Amino acid sequence: MGWKIKKMDVKLEPNEEKEIEFVLVPEKRAAIHGVVKFPDGTPVKNAVVKLFKKKGCDPCDLIPITFAFTDECGQFLFGVPACMEFVIKVFFYKPEC
């Protein structure tokens, strides 16, 4: 089980010390993280990664949820509801000059 991240802004004055306690609550969401690479292992920057929810048994019956572009390391991240089946599709196109 994961835990929700808590955030607190803190500003200290000179010679001041603060003790802070965080009480975490259970996190019911999940995350999908991945890396897109070329066959030679090089990360793919700016690939489109699209997330779909499965609607039924037909593999073509998909509901688009969201998309992301990979970063300079080829990485992407989706926060998703737990206990659902997803399909991920990746597309990259580099126009010839």
Side-chain angles (χ1 to χ4, degrees):
M1 174 181 286
W3 301 91
K4 285 189 180 181
I5 295 174
K6 290 261 185 162
K7 176 186 165 191
M8 178 184 297
D9 295 328
V10 178
K11 180 179 179 185
L12 298 173
E13 299 299 325
N15 298 312
E16 182 180 6
E17 179 181 319
K18 287 188 180 182
E19 186 170 324
I20 300 170
E21 180 178 309
F22 287 95
V23 178
L24 300 177
V25 295
E27 175 60 74
K28 296 188 184 340
R29 296 175 297 177
I32 299 171
H33 174 264
V35 180
V36 178
K37 295 181 180 181
F38 289 112
D40 68 0
T42 306
V44 180
K45 180 180 178 182
N46 293 325
V48 178
V49 183
K50 186 136 183 170
L51 182 68
F52 297 86
K53 176 184 172 189
K54 284 187 170 183
K55 188 173 181 183
C57 295
D58 182 351
C60 296
D61 201 5
L62 303 173
I63 301 169
I65 297 175
T66 190
F67 69 93
F69 291 97
T70 55
D71 65 11
E72 61 277 353
C73 301
Q75 298 179 351
F76 64 91
L77 174 68
F78 296 117
V80 296
C83 302
M84 291 176 68
E85 289 191 47
F86 299 97
V87 172
I88 297 173
K89 295 186 179 188
V90 177
F91 177 76
F92 178 76
Y93 174 72
K94 183 176 180 182
E96 297 180 23
C97 297

Coordinates of all heavy atoms in Angstrom, one line a residue:
M1 N 0.8 -1.2 0.0 CA 0.0 0.0 0.0 C 0.9 1.2 0.0 O 1.9 1.3 0.7 CB -0.9 0.0 1.2 CG -1.7 1.3 1.4 SD -2.8 1.3 2.8 CE -4.0 0.2 2.3
G2 N 0.5 2.2 -0.8 CA 1.2 3.5 -0.8 C 0.6 4.5 0.2 O -0.5 4.2 0.8
W3 N 1.2 5.6 0.3 CA 0.7 6.7 1.1 C 0.7 8.0 0.4 O 1.6 8.3 -0.4 CB 1.6 6.8 2.4 CG 1.6 5.5 3.1 CD1 2.5 4.4 2.9 CD2 0.7 5.0 4.1 NE1 2.2 3.4 3.8 CE2 1.1 3.7 4.5 CE3 -0.4 5.6 4.7 CZ2 0.4 3.0 5.4 CZ3 -1.1 4.9 5.6 CH2 -0.7 3.6 6.0
K4 N -0.3 8.8 0.7 CA -0.3 10.1 0.0 C 0.8 11.0 0.5 O 1.1 11.0 1.7 CB -1.7 10.8 0.4 CG -2.8 10.2 -0.4 CD -4.1 11.1 -0.2 CE -5.2 10.5 -1.0 NZ -6.4 11.2 -0.9
I5 N 1.3 11.8 -0.4 CA 2.4 12.8 0.0 C 1.7 14.0 0.6 O 0.7 14.5 0.1 CB 3.2 13.2 -1.2 CG1 3.9 12.0 -1.8 CG2 4.1 14.3 -0.9 CD1 4.6 12.3 -3.1
K6 N 2.3 14.4 1.7 CA 1.8 15.6 2.4 C 2.8 16.7 2.1 O 4.0 16.4 1.9 CB 1.7 15.4 3.9 CG 0.6 14.5 4.3 CD -0.6 15.3 4.7 CE -1.7 14.4 5.2 NZ -2.7 15.1 6.0
K7 N 2.4 17.9 2.1 CA 3.3 19.1 1.8 C 3.0 20.1 2.8 O 1.9 20.4 3.3 CB 3.0 19.6 0.4 CG 3.8 20.9 0.1 CD 3.3 21.5 -1.3 CE 3.9 22.9 -1.4 NZ 3.3 23.6 -2.5
M8 N 4.1 20.7 3.3 CA 4.0 21.8 4.2 C 5.1 22.8 3.9 O 6.3 22.4 3.7 CB 4.2 21.3 5.7 CG 4.2 22.4 6.7 SD 4.6 21.8 8.4 CE 3.2 20.7 8.7
D9 N 4.8 24.1 3.7 CA 5.7 25.1 3.5 C 6.4 25.5 4.9 O 5.6 25.7 5.9 CB 5.1 26.4 2.9 CG 4.6 26.1 1.5 OD1 5.2 25.2 0.8 OD2 3.6 26.7 1.1
V10 N 7.7 25.6 4.9 CA 8.4 25.9 6.1 C 9.3 27.1 5.9 O 10.1 27.1 4.9 CB 9.2 24.7 6.7 CG1 9.9 25.0 7.9 CG2 8.2 23.5 6.9
K11 N 9.3 28.1 6.8 CA 10.2 29.2 6.7 C 10.8 29.3 8.1 O 10.1 29.4 9.1 CB 9.6 30.5 6.3 CG 10.5 31.6 6.2 CD 9.8 32.9 5.8 CE 10.8 34.0 5.8 NZ 10.1 35.3 5.5
L12 N 12.1 29.3 8.2 CA 12.8 29.4 9.5 C 13.5 30.8 9.6 O 14.1 31.3 8.6 CB 13.9 28.3 9.6 CG 13.3 26.9 9.6 CD1 14.5 25.9 9.6 CD2 12.4 26.6 10.8
E13 N 13.4 31.3 10.8 CA 14.2 32.5 11.1 C 15.6 32.1 11.6 O 15.8 31.0 12.0 CB 13.4 33.3 12.1 CG 12.0 33.8 11.7 CD 12.0 34.7 10.5 OE1 12.9 35.5 10.4 OE2 11.1 34.6 9.7
P14 N 16.5 33.1 11.6 CA 17.8 32.7 12.1 C 17.7 32.2 13.5 O 16.9 32.6 14.4 CB 18.6 34.1 12.1 CG 17.9 34.9 11.1 CD 16.4 34.5 11.1
N15 N 18.5 31.1 13.8 CA 18.5 30.5 15.1 C 17.2 29.8 15.5 O 17.0 29.5 16.7 CB 19.0 31.4 16.2 CG 20.4 31.9 16.0 OD1 21.3 31.1 15.7 ND2 20.6 33.2 16.0
E16 N 16.3 29.5 14.6 CA 15.1 28.9 14.9 C 15.1 27.4 14.5 O 15.7 27.0 13.5 CB 13.9 29.6 14.1 CG 12.6 29.1 14.5 CD 11.5 29.8 13.7 OE1 11.7 30.6 12.8 OE2 10.3 29.4 14.0
E17 N 14.5 26.6 15.3 CA 14.3 25.2 15.0 C 12.9 24.8 15.1 O 12.2 25.3 16.0 CB 15.1 24.4 16.1 CG 15.0 22.9 15.9 CD 15.8 22.2 16.9 OE1 16.9 22.6 17.3 OE2 15.2 21.2 17.4
K18 N 12.4 24.0 14.1 CA 11.0 23.6 14.1 C 11.0 22.1 14.1 O 11.8 21.5 13.3 CB 10.2 24.1 12.9 CG 9.9 25.6 13.1 CD 9.0 26.0 11.9 CE 8.7 27.5 12.1 NZ 7.8 28.0 11.1
E19 N 10.1 21.5 14.8 CA 9.9 20.0 14.8 C 8.6 19.8 14.1 O 7.6 20.5 14.5 CB 9.9 19.4 16.2 CG 9.8 17.9 16.1 CD 10.0 17.3 17.4 OE1 10.8 17.8 18.2 OE2 9.3 16.3 17.7
I20 N 8.6 19.0 13.1 CA 7.4 18.8 12.2 C 7.0 17.4 12.2 O 7.8 16.5 12.1 CB 7.6 19.3 10.8 CG1 8.0 20.8 10.8 CG2 6.4 19.1 9.9 CD1 8.5 21.3 9.5
E21 N 5.7 17.1 12.4 CA 5.2 15.7 12.3 C 4.2 15.6 11.1 O 3.3 16.4 11.0 CB 4.5 15.4 13.6 CG 4.0 14.0 13.6 CD 3.3 13.6 15.0 OE1 3.9 13.8 16.0 OE2 2.1 13.2 14.9
F22 N 4.4 14.6 10.3 CA 3.5 14.4 9.2 C 2.8 13.1 9.5 O 3.4 12.0 9.8 CB 4.3 14.2 7.9 CG 4.8 15.4 7.3 CD1 6.1 15.8 7.6 CD2 4.0 16.2 6.5 CE1 6.6 17.0 7.0 CE2 4.5 17.4 6.0 CZ 5.9 17.8 6.2
V23 N 1.5 13.1 9.4 CA 0.7 11.9 9.5 C 0.1 11.6 8.1 O -0.6 12.3 7.5 CB -0.5 12.1 10.5 CG1 -1.4 10.8 10.6 CG2 0.0 12.5 11.9
L24 N 0.6 10.4 7.6 CA 0.2 10.1 6.2 C -1.1 9.3 6.2 O -1.4 8.6 7.1 CB 1.3 9.2 5.6 CG 2.7 9.9 5.5 CD1 3.7 8.9 4.9 CD2 2.6 11.1 4.6
V25 N -1.9 9.4 5.1 CA -3.1 8.7 4.9 C -2.9 7.7 3.8 O -2.1 8.0 2.8 CB -4.3 9.6 4.7 CG1 -4.6 10.5 5.9 CG2 -4.1 10.5 3.5
P26 N -3.6 6.6 3.8 CA -3.4 5.6 2.7 C -3.8 6.2 1.3 O -4.7 7.0 1.2 CB -4.4 4.5 3.0 CG -4.6 4.7 4.5 CD -4.5 6.1 4.8
E27 N -3.0 5.8 0.3 CA -3.2 6.3 -1.1 C -3.8 5.1 -1.8 O -3.3 4.0 -1.9 CB -1.8 6.6 -1.7 CG -1.9 7.0 -3.1 CD -2.8 8.2 -3.4 OE1 -2.4 9.3 -3.2 OE2 -3.9 7.9 -4.0
K28 N -4.9 5.4 -2.5 CA -5.7 4.3 -3.2 C -5.4 4.3 -4.7 O -5.9 3.5 -5.4 CB -7.2 4.4 -2.9 CG -7.5 4.2 -1.4 CD -8.9 4.1 -1.1 CE -9.4 3.9 0.2 NZ -8.6 3.5 1.3
R29 N -4.7 5.4 -5.1 CA -4.4 5.4 -6.6 C -3.1 4.6 -6.9 O -2.5 4.1 -6.0 CB -4.1 6.9 -7.0 CG -5.4 7.7 -6.8 CD -5.1 9.2 -7.1 NE -4.1 9.7 -6.2 CZ -3.6 10.9 -6.2 NH1 -3.9 11.7 -7.1 NH2 -2.7 11.3 -5.3
A30 N -2.8 4.5 -8.1 CA -1.6 3.8 -8.6 C -0.9 4.6 -9.6 O -1.3 5.7 -9.9 CB -2.0 2.4 -9.2
A31 N 0.2 4.1 -10.0 CA 1.0 4.9 -11.0 C 1.6 3.9 -12.0 O 1.9 2.8 -11.7 CB 2.2 5.7 -10.3
I32 N 1.7 4.4 -13.3 CA 2.3 3.7 -14.4 C 3.5 4.6 -14.8 O 3.3 5.8 -15.2 CB 1.4 3.5 -15.6 CG1 0.2 2.6 -15.1 CG2 2.1 2.9 -16.7 CD1 -0.9 2.5 -16.2
H33 N 4.7 4.0 -14.7 CA 5.9 4.8 -15.1 C 6.7 3.9 -16.1 O 6.7 2.7 -15.9 CB 6.8 5.1 -13.9 CG 8.1 5.7 -14.3 ND1 9.2 4.9 -14.4 CD2 8.4 7.0 -14.5 CE1 10.2 5.7 -14.8 NE2 9.7 7.0 -14.8
G34 N 7.2 4.5 -17.1 CA 8.0 3.7 -18.1 C 9.0 4.5 -18.8 O 9.1 5.7 -18.7
V35 N 9.8 3.8 -19.7 CA 10.8 4.4 -20.5 C 10.6 3.9 -21.9 O 10.4 2.7 -22.2 CB 12.2 4.1 -20.0 CG1 13.3 4.7 -20.9 CG2 12.4 4.5 -18.6
V36 N 10.7 4.8 -22.9 CA 10.6 4.5 -24.3 C 12.0 4.6 -24.9 O 12.7 5.6 -24.7 CB 9.6 5.4 -25.1 CG1 9.6 5.1 -26.6 CG2 8.2 5.4 -24.5
K37 N 12.5 3.5 -25.5 CA 13.8 3.5 -26.1 C 13.8 3.0 -27.5 O 13.0 2.2 -27.9 CB 14.7 2.5 -25.2 CG 14.9 3.0 -23.8 CD 15.8 2.0 -23.1 CE 16.0 2.4 -21.6 NZ 16.9 1.5 -20.9
F38 N 14.8 3.4 -28.3 CA 15.1 2.9 -29.6 C 15.7 1.5 -29.4 O 16.2 1.2 -28.3 CB 16.0 3.8 -30.4 CG 15.4 5.1 -30.8 CD1 15.8 6.3 -30.2 CD2 14.4 5.2 -31.8 CE1 15.2 7.5 -30.6 CE2 13.8 6.4 -32.1 CZ 14.2 7.5 -31.6
P39 N 15.8 0.7 -30.5 CA 16.4 -0.6 -30.4 C 17.8 -0.6 -29.9 O 18.2 -1.6 -29.3 CB 16.3 -1.2 -31.8 CG 15.1 -0.5 -32.4 CD 15.1 0.9 -31.8
D40 N 18.5 0.5 -30.1 CA 19.9 0.5 -29.6 C 20.0 0.9 -28.1 O 21.1 1.1 -27.6 CB 20.8 1.4 -30.5 CG 20.4 2.9 -30.4 OD1 19.4 3.2 -29.6 OD2 21.0 3.7 -31.0
G41 N 18.9 1.2 -27.5 CA 18.9 1.5 -26.1 C 18.8 3.0 -25.8 O 18.7 3.4 -24.7
T42 N 18.9 3.8 -26.8 CA 18.8 5.3 -26.7 C 17.4 5.7 -26.3 O 16.5 5.3 -26.9 CB 19.2 6.0 -28.0 OG1 20.5 5.5 -28.4 CG2 19.3 7.5 -27.8
P43 N 17.3 6.6 -25.3 CA 16.0 7.1 -24.9 C 15.3 7.9 -26.0 O 16.0 8.6 -26.7 CB 16.2 7.9 -23.6 CG 17.6 7.6 -23.2 CD 18.3 7.1 -24.4
V44 N 14.0 7.8 -26.1 CA 13.2 8.5 -27.1 C 12.6 9.7 -26.5 O 11.7 9.6 -25.7 CB 12.2 7.6 -27.8 CG1 11.4 8.4 -28.8 CG2 12.8 6.4 -28.4
K45 N 13.1 10.9 -26.9 CA 12.5 12.2 -26.4 C 11.4 12.6 -27.2 O 11.4 12.4 -28.4 CB 13.6 13.2 -26.4 CG 13.2 14.6 -25.9 CD 14.3 15.6 -26.0 CE 13.8 17.0 -25.6 NZ 14.9 18.0 -25.7
N46 N 10.3 13.0 -26.6 CA 9.1 13.6 -27.3 C 8.2 12.5 -28.0 O 7.5 12.8 -28.9 CB 9.4 14.7 -28.2 CG 9.9 15.9 -27.5 OD1 9.5 16.2 -26.4 ND2 10.9 16.6 -28.1
A47 N 8.3 11.3 -27.5 CA 7.4 10.3 -28.1 C 6.0 10.5 -27.4 O 6.0 11.0 -26.3 CB 7.9 8.9 -27.7
V48 N 5.0 10.2 -28.1 CA 3.6 10.3 -27.5 C 3.3 9.0 -26.9 O 3.4 7.9 -27.5 CB 2.6 10.7 -28.6 CG1 1.2 10.8 -28.0 CG2 2.9 12.0 -29.3
V49 N 2.9 9.0 -25.6 CA 2.4 7.8 -24.9 C 1.0 8.0 -24.6 O 0.7 9.0 -23.8 CB 3.3 7.6 -23.7 CG1 2.9 6.3 -23.0 CG2 4.8 7.5 -24.0
K50 N 0.1 7.2 -25.1 CA -1.4 7.4 -24.9 C -1.9 6.3 -24.0 O -1.6 5.1 -24.2 CB -2.1 7.4 -26.2 CG -3.6 7.8 -26.1 CD -4.0 8.7 -27.1 CE -5.5 9.1 -26.8 NZ -6.0 10.1 -27.6
L51 N -2.7 6.7 -23.0 CA -3.3 5.7 -22.1 C -4.7 5.5 -22.4 O -5.5 6.5 -22.5 CB -3.1 6.2 -20.7 CG -3.6 5.4 -19.5 CD1 -2.7 4.1 -19.4 CD2 -3.6 6.1 -18.2
F52 N -5.1 4.2 -22.5 CA -6.5 3.9 -22.7 C -7.0 2.9 -21.6 O -6.3 2.2 -21.1 CB -6.6 3.1 -24.0 CG -6.2 3.8 -25.3 CD1 -4.9 3.9 -25.7 CD2 -7.2 4.5 -26.0 CE1 -4.5 4.5 -26.8 CE2 -6.8 5.2 -27.2 CZ -5.5 5.2 -27.6
K53 N -8.3 3.0 -21.4 CA -9.0 2.1 -20.5 C -9.7 1.0 -21.3 O -10.3 1.3 -22.4 CB -10.0 2.8 -19.6 CG -10.8 1.9 -18.7 CD -11.9 2.7 -18.0 CE -12.9 1.7 -17.3 NZ -14.0 2.4 -16.8
K54 N -9.5 -0.3 -20.9 CA -10.2 -1.3 -21.7 C -11.7 -1.2 -21.4 O -12.1 -1.1 -20.2 CB -9.8 -2.7 -21.2 CG -8.4 -3.1 -21.8 CD -8.1 -4.5 -21.4 CE -6.9 -5.0 -22.1 NZ -6.7 -6.4 -21.8
K55 N -12.6 -1.2 -22.4 CA -14.0 -1.1 -22.3 C -14.7 -2.4 -22.1 O -15.6 -2.6 -21.3 CB -14.6 -0.3 -23.4 CG -16.1 0.0 -23.3 CD -16.5 0.9 -24.4 CE -18.0 1.3 -24.2 NZ -18.5 2.1 -25.4
G56 N -14.2 -3.4 -22.8 CA -14.8 -4.8 -22.7 C -13.7 -5.8 -23.1 O -12.5 -5.6 -22.9
C57 N -14.2 -6.9 -23.7 CA -13.3 -8.0 -24.1 C -12.7 -7.8 -25.4 O -11.6 -8.3 -25.7 CB -14.1 -9.3 -24.1 SG -14.7 -9.8 -22.5
D58 N -13.3 -6.9 -26.3 CA -12.7 -6.6 -27.6 C -11.5 -5.8 -27.4 O -11.5 -4.7 -26.9 CB -13.8 -5.9 -28.4 CG -13.4 -5.6 -29.8 OD1 -12.2 -5.8 -30.1 OD2 -14.2 -5.1 -30.6
P59 N -10.3 -6.2 -27.9 CA -9.1 -5.5 -27.8 C -9.1 -4.1 -28.5 O -8.2 -3.3 -28.2 CB -8.0 -6.4 -28.3 CG -8.7 -7.4 -29.2 CD -10.1 -7.5 -28.6
C60 N -10.0 -3.9 -29.4 CA -10.1 -2.6 -30.1 C -11.1 -1.7 -29.4 O -11.3 -0.5 -29.9 CB -10.5 -2.9 -31.6 SG -9.3 -3.8 -32.5
D61 N -11.8 -2.1 -28.4 CA -12.8 -1.3 -27.7 C -12.1 -0.6 -26.5 O -12.1 -1.1 -25.4 CB -13.9 -2.2 -27.2 CG -15.2 -1.4 -27.0 OD1 -15.2 -0.2 -27.2 OD2 -16.2 -2.1 -26.5
L62 N -11.5 0.5 -26.8 CA -10.7 1.3 -25.9 C -11.3 2.7 -25.6 O -11.8 3.3 -26.6 CB -9.3 1.4 -26.3 CG -8.6 0.1 -26.6 CD1 -7.2 0.3 -27.2 CD2 -8.4 -0.8 -25.4
I63 N -11.2 3.1 -24.4 CA -11.6 4.5 -24.1 C -10.3 5.3 -23.8 O -9.6 5.0 -22.9 CB -12.5 4.5 -22.8 CG1 -13.7 3.6 -23.1 CG2 -12.9 5.9 -22.4 CD1 -14.5 3.4 -21.8
P64 N -10.1 6.4 -24.6 CA -8.9 7.2 -24.3 C -9.0 7.9 -23.0 O -10.1 8.5 -22.7 CB -8.8 8.2 -25.5 CG -10.1 8.0 -26.3 CD -10.8 6.8 -25.7
I65 N -7.9 7.9 -22.2 CA -7.9 8.6 -20.9 C -7.1 9.9 -20.9 O -7.5 10.9 -20.6 CB -7.5 7.7 -19.8 CG1 -8.4 6.5 -19.7 CG2 -7.3 8.4 -18.5 CD1 -8.0 5.4 -18.7
T66 N -5.8 9.7 -21.3 CA -4.9 10.8 -21.3 C -3.7 10.5 -22.2 O -3.6 9.4 -22.7 CB -4.5 11.2 -19.9 OG1 -3.8 12.5 -19.9 CG2 -3.6 10.2 -19.2
F67 N -2.8 11.4 -22.3 CA -1.5 11.1 -23.0 C -0.4 11.9 -22.3 O -0.6 12.9 -21.5 CB -1.6 11.5 -24.5 CG -1.7 13.0 -24.7 CD1 -0.6 13.7 -25.0 CD2 -2.9 13.6 -24.7 CE1 -0.7 15.1 -25.2 CE2 -3.1 15.0 -24.9 CZ -1.9 15.7 -25.2
A68 N 0.8 11.6 -22.6 CA 2.0 12.3 -22.2 C 3.1 12.3 -23.2 O 3.1 11.4 -24.1 CB 2.5 11.7 -20.9
F69 N 4.0 13.2 -23.2 CA 5.2 13.2 -24.1 C 6.3 12.7 -23.2 O 6.5 13.1 -22.0 CB 5.5 14.6 -24.6 CG 4.4 15.0 -25.6 CD1 3.4 15.8 -25.3 CD2 4.5 14.6 -27.0 CE1 2.5 16.3 -26.2 CE2 3.6 15.0 -27.9 CZ 2.5 15.8 -27.5
T70 N 7.2 11.9 -23.7 CA 8.4 11.5 -23.0 C 9.3 12.6 -22.8 O 9.4 13.5 -23.6 CB 9.1 10.3 -23.7 OG1 9.4 10.7 -25.0 CG2 8.2 9.1 -23.7
D71 N 10.1 12.6 -21.7 CA 11.0 13.6 -21.4 C 12.4 13.3 -22.1 O 12.4 12.4 -22.9 CB 11.2 13.8 -19.9 CG 11.8 12.6 -19.2 OD1 12.3 11.7 -19.9 OD2 11.8 12.6 -17.9
E72 N 13.4 14.1 -21.8 CA 14.7 13.9 -22.4 C 15.3 12.5 -22.1 O 16.2 12.1 -22.8 CB 15.7 15.0 -22.1 CG 16.0 15.1 -20.6 CD 15.0 15.9 -19.8 OE1 14.0 16.5 -20.4 OE2 15.1 15.9 -18.6
C73 N 14.8 11.9 -21.1 CA 15.3 10.5 -20.7 C 14.4 9.4 -21.2 O 14.6 8.2 -20.9 CB 15.4 10.4 -19.2 SG 16.6 11.6 -18.5
G74 N 13.4 9.8 -22.0 CA 12.4 8.8 -22.6 C 11.4 8.4 -21.6 O 10.7 7.4 -21.8
Q75 N 11.3 9.1 -20.4 CA 10.4 8.6 -19.4 C 9.0 9.3 -19.4 O 8.9 10.4 -19.9 CB 11.0 8.9 -18.0 CG 12.3 8.2 -17.8 CD 12.9 8.5 -16.4 OE1 12.4 9.4 -15.7 NE2 13.9 7.8 -16.0
F76 N 8.0 8.5 -19.0 CA 6.7 9.0 -18.9 C 6.1 8.5 -17.6 O 6.6 7.6 -17.0 CB 5.8 8.6 -20.1 CG 5.6 7.1 -20.1 CD1 4.5 6.5 -19.5 CD2 6.5 6.3 -20.8 CE1 4.3 5.1 -19.6 CE2 6.3 4.9 -20.9 CZ 5.2 4.3 -20.3
L77 N 5.0 9.2 -17.1 CA 4.4 8.8 -15.8 C 2.9 9.2 -15.9 O 2.5 10.2 -16.4 CB 5.0 9.6 -14.7 CG 4.4 9.5 -13.3 CD1 4.6 8.1 -12.8 CD2 5.0 10.5 -12.4
F78 N 2.0 8.2 -15.5 CA 0.6 8.4 -15.4 C 0.2 8.1 -13.9 O 0.5 7.0 -13.4 CB -0.2 7.5 -16.3 CG 0.1 7.8 -17.8 CD1 0.6 6.8 -18.6 CD2 -0.3 9.0 -18.4 CE1 0.8 7.0 -19.9 CE2 -0.1 9.2 -19.7 CZ 0.5 8.2 -20.5
G79 N -0.6 8.9 -13.3 CA -1.3 8.6 -12.1 C -2.7 8.0 -12.5 O -3.4 8.6 -13.3
V80 N -3.0 6.8 -12.0 CA -4.2 6.1 -12.5 C -5.0 5.5 -11.3 O -4.4 5.3 -10.2 CB -3.8 5.0 -13.4 CG1 -3.2 5.5 -14.7 CG2 -2.9 3.9 -12.7
P81 N -6.3 5.2 -11.5 CA -7.0 4.5 -10.5 C -6.5 3.1 -10.4 O -6.1 2.5 -11.4 CB -8.5 4.5 -11.0 CG -8.5 5.4 -12.2 CD -7.1 5.6 -12.6
A82 N -6.5 2.5 -9.2 CA -6.1 1.1 -9.0 C -7.2 0.2 -9.5 O -8.3 0.6 -9.7 CB -5.8 0.9 -7.5
C83 N -6.8 -1.1 -9.7 CA -7.7 -2.2 -10.1 C -8.5 -2.0 -11.4 O -9.6 -2.3 -11.5 CB -8.7 -2.4 -8.9 SG -7.9 -2.8 -7.4
M84 N -7.8 -1.4 -12.4 CA -8.4 -1.2 -13.7 C -7.4 -1.7 -14.7 O -6.2 -1.7 -14.4 CB -8.7 0.3 -14.0 CG -9.8 0.8 -13.2 SD -10.0 2.6 -13.5 CE -10.6 2.6 -15.2
E85 N -7.9 -2.2 -15.8 CA -7.0 -2.6 -16.9 C -6.8 -1.5 -17.9 O -7.7 -0.9 -18.3 CB -7.6 -3.9 -17.6 CG -7.5 -5.1 -16.7 CD -7.8 -6.4 -17.5 OE1 -7.3 -6.5 -18.6 OE2 -8.7 -7.1 -17.1
F86 N -5.5 -1.3 -18.3 CA -5.2 -0.3 -19.2 C -4.5 -0.8 -20.4 O -3.9 -1.9 -20.4 CB -4.3 0.8 -18.5 CG -4.9 1.4 -17.4 CD1 -4.7 1.0 -16.1 CD2 -5.8 2.5 -17.5 CE1 -5.3 1.6 -15.0 CE2 -6.4 3.1 -16.5 CZ -6.1 2.7 -15.2
V87 N -4.4 0.0 -21.5 CA -3.6 -0.3 -22.7 C -2.8 1.0 -22.9 O -3.3 2.1 -22.8 CB -4.5 -0.6 -23.9 CG1 -3.7 -0.7 -25.2 CG2 -5.3 -1.9 -23.7
I88 N -1.5 0.8 -23.2 CA -0.7 1.9 -23.5 C -0.2 1.8 -25.0 O 0.2 0.7 -25.4 CB 0.5 2.0 -22.6 CG1 0.1 2.2 -21.1 CG2 1.5 3.1 -23.0 CD1 1.2 2.0 -20.1
K89 N -0.3 2.9 -25.7 CA 0.2 2.9 -27.1 C 1.3 4.0 -27.2 O 1.1 5.1 -26.6 CB -0.9 3.2 -28.1 CG -1.9 2.0 -28.1 CD -2.9 2.3 -29.2 CE -3.9 1.1 -29.3 NZ -4.8 1.3 -30.5
V90 N 2.3 3.8 -27.9 CA 3.4 4.7 -28.1 C 3.6 5.1 -29.6 O 3.6 4.2 -30.4 CB 4.7 4.1 -27.5 CG1 5.9 5.1 -27.7 CG2 4.6 3.8 -26.0
F91 N 3.8 6.3 -29.8 CA 4.1 6.8 -31.2 C 5.2 7.8 -31.2 O 5.3 8.7 -30.4 CB 2.8 7.4 -31.8 CG 3.0 8.0 -33.2 CD1 3.1 7.2 -34.3 CD2 3.2 9.4 -33.3 CE1 3.2 7.7 -35.5 CE2 3.4 9.9 -34.6 CZ 3.4 9.0 -35.7
F92 N 6.1 7.6 -32.2 CA 7.2 8.6 -32.4 C 7.4 8.8 -33.9 O 7.5 7.8 -34.6 CB 8.5 8.1 -31.7 CG 9.7 9.0 -32.0 CD1 9.8 10.2 -31.2 CD2 10.6 8.8 -32.9 CE1 10.8 11.1 -31.5 CE2 11.7 9.6 -33.1 CZ 11.8 10.8 -32.4
Y93 N 7.5 10.0 -34.2 CA 7.8 10.3 -35.7 C 8.8 11.4 -35.7 O 8.7 12.5 -35.1 CB 6.5 10.8 -36.3 CG 6.7 11.3 -37.7 CD1 6.9 10.4 -38.8 CD2 6.6 12.7 -38.0 CE1 7.1 10.9 -40.1 CE2 6.8 13.1 -39.3 CZ 7.0 12.2 -40.3 OH 7.2 12.6 -41.6
K94 N 9.8 11.2 -36.5 CA 10.9 12.2 -36.8 C 10.9 12.5 -38.3 O 11.3 11.6 -39.1 CB 12.2 11.6 -36.4 CG 13.3 12.7 -36.5 CD 14.6 12.1 -36.0 CE 15.7 13.2 -36.1 NZ 17.0 12.6 -35.7
P95 N 10.4 13.7 -38.6 CA 10.3 14.0 -40.0 C 11.7 14.1 -40.7 O 12.7 14.5 -40.0 CB 9.6 15.4 -40.1 CG 9.6 15.9 -38.7 CD 9.9 14.7 -37.8
E96 N 11.8 13.6 -41.9 CA 13.1 13.7 -42.6 C 13.2 15.1 -43.1 O 12.3 15.7 -43.7 CB 13.1 12.7 -43.8 CG 13.1 11.3 -43.3 CD 13.1 10.3 -44.4 OE1 13.6 10.7 -45.5 OE2 12.7 9.2 -44.2
C97 N 14.4 15.7 -43.0 CA 14.7 17.1 -43.5 C 15.3 17.0 -44.9 O 16.0 16.2 -45.2 CB 15.6 17.8 -42.6 SG 14.9 18.0 -40.9

